[in-house]
Amino acid sequence: FLLPWVYIDPYEAPPSEKESNTMSQFFQGLIDNYIHVGRQTLNVRIWRCNVYDQLPQWDHKADKRDAKRSAKRIAASDVSHAVKEEPSQVFPFFQRLEIGYGAELAKYCESEELKMRHMVKELTKKSNLTTQEAKELARLRGDLRPENDEVRRKRLADKFARERYQTPELMIRFVKVGLDGKPVQVLCDQFMSFSHIKLSNVPVHNDRDTFPPNPEDPWLEMYAKSAPSYSTRKNILNAEPAQHVSRVEIISRGNDTFSVLADGQLFPSVRGPKSTGYKSIVIEKFTNANDEQMSFPVQTFFPIKL
């Protein structure tokens, strides 16, 4: 990463003691410590999300074949890939991926903020504003200030909750793995509406839903919570909402679409009033030319064992 504000020009005069006592110098000292002293490496595995514009053709014969093998372990090469087409979009992530209420809330907030910025732009163009328009412009500018982000998001979240948004119906097909990282079963559930689906690679404070994830493990910790109206149905994820997975395929029913939060970033981003979501995605390992999963090395002072 780049931190241009901590760069020191070697041709500049040495800073005074007062000038040295700045936040930039503080951060530079931290970075120097990590570079020169942090000699331990934590290899955080990287994952990818493939987006498909059309619903995939499911390989039902392969599903039946894998179901017969479910009583015993199956080789990674025997795990069928139901989606054969090339993805229209690919984005990597290494912390977590979320689908459901949280992602749709983020989409709603971005959409409302886009409308607010458009209104500011339109009001600013007007040469003569009425008293009411001037007050509205001042209110919008105040709401959009960075220091008001938290208050604005809370207000929008309360408004979104009152609308009682119903998440779309999704089908999840996933490869369940054992603690050695080898595939055990390929499971496919029925169409259901989920409050949230979470795939975790890095642990987060107070995260109680999933098994504690280890970023060096070759699998993700999945937690799928069904919507209240679907919670009594008999299916795999209602019985066992927490799963160790190495691959997940998700499709929506009919014309429904869904949004994705990957490492806190909304996909697809909101670009206008008619912004839609995805119909089909596949989450799998980000591999190199040798089919080995790639990792992001993080330097630490002490060995981290999760």
Side-chain angles (χ1 to χ4, degrees):
F1 51 89
L2 298 177
L3 295 173
W5 63 87
V6 301
Y7 173 74
I8 296 179
D9 190 338
Y11 298 101
E12 285 185 347
S16 64
E17 183 178 352
K18 184 177 180 179
E19 291 173 335
S20 298
N21 189 22
T22 62
M23 190 60 71
S24 295
Q25 294 292 329
F26 171 73
F27 280 120
Q28 183 181 348
L30 289 180
I31 294 169
D32 286 343
N33 285 337
Y34 271 105
I35 293 174
H36 296 108
V37 184
R39 301 184 183 279
Q40 302 295 327
T41 303
L42 176 68
N43 290 309
V44 180
R45 293 185 182 268
I46 304 176
W47 298 80
R48 60 186 283 168
C49 180
N50 302 330
V51 179
Y52 298 90
D53 295 330
Q54 302 296 327
L55 294 181
Q57 295 295 320
W58 297 90
D59 191 346
H60 297 292
K61 290 183 178 179
D63 284 344
K64 292 180 180 178
R65 184 189 68 228
D66 292 332
K68 292 179 181 179
R69 293 196 183 105
S70 62
K72 50 187 176 181
R73 294 192 176 262
I74 53 180
S77 58
D78 291 332
V79 178
S80 59
H81 289 188
V83 183
K84 302 297 183 183
E85 301 86 357
E86 288 296 318
S88 60
Q89 182 183 359
V90 176
F91 52 86
F93 68 97
F94 63 89
Q95 294 181 12
R96 61 183 48 211
L97 183 141
E98 298 179 57
I99 298 171
Y101 187 88
E104 300 305 328
L105 171 60
K107 178 182 177 181
Y108 175 80
C109 290
E110 282 199 12
S111 178
E112 291 298 306
E113 289 166 359
L114 186 66
K115 293 177 184 177
M116 293 169 68
R117 292 189 178 91
H118 179 73
M119 290 178 64
V120 169
K121 186 177 180 180
E122 292 299 315
L123 289 172
T124 305
K125 288 180 180 179
K126 299 184 70 173
S127 56
N128 296 315
L129 294 176
T130 65
T131 303
Q132 186 64 29
E133 288 174 335
K135 289 181 179 179
E136 181 66 9
L137 179 59
R139 184 189 69 80
L140 290 171
R141 283 176 171 169
D143 282 350
L144 290 172
R145 287 176 181 167
E147 59 266 28
N148 294 328
D149 284 351
E150 186 175 347
V151 176
R152 182 180 68 253
R153 288 295 174 101
K154 186 178 185 306
R155 186 181 69 252
L156 291 174
D158 293 339
K159 183 180 177 182
F160 184 72
R162 290 194 297 270
E163 294 186 4
R164 297 182 180 180
Y165 175 81
Q166 179 66 46
T167 53
E169 288 190 333
L170 305 175
M171 179 184 289
I172 304 177
R173 182 180 187 271
F174 60 94
V175 178
K176 182 176 181 177
V177 301
L179 294 179
D180 55 1
K182 294 182 180 180
V184 178
Q185 289 177 290
V186 179
L187 302 172
C188 186
D189 217 339
Q190 58 186 298
F191 276 104
M192 288 180 52
S193 180
F194 294 90
S195 296
H196 66 261
I197 303 168
K198 187 185 303 179
L199 293 158
S200 303
N201 187 44
V202 176
V204 174
H205 180 61
N206 285 336
D207 193 358
R208 301 176 181 176
D209 294 334
T210 63
F211 293 110
N214 186 336
E216 292 186 300
D217 286 338
W219 66 80
L220 293 168
E221 300 294 349
M222 182 174 75
Y223 181 81
K225 182 179 181 182
S226 58
S229 56
Y230 292 78
S231 59
T232 57
R233 292 192 179 185
K234 292 184 178 180
N235 55 61
I236 301 165
L237 292 173
N238 271 344
E240 296 182 58
Q243 300 280 349
H244 308 297
V245 298
S246 62
R247 177 184 168 89
V248 182
E249 300 167 2
I250 301 175
I251 64 171
S252 62
R253 167 172 274 178
N255 295 322
D256 288 341
T257 61
F258 57 92
S259 301
V260 174
L261 273 178
D263 292 342
Q265 178 70 38
L266 179 67
F267 292 92
S269 59
V270 177
R271 301 184 181 276
K274 295 184 179 180
S275 295
T276 59
Y278 298 136
K279 295 186 69 66
S280 173
I281 64 171
V282 173
I283 298 99
E284 61 183 1
K285 299 175 181 179
F286 200 111
T287 57
N288 57 20
N290 297 322
D291 205 30
E292 299 170 340
Q293 187 171 8
M294 300 178 67
S295 300
F296 179 77
V298 177
Q299 297 301 111
T300 63
F301 294 110
F302 301 98
I304 297 178
K305 299 297 181 183
L306 299 175

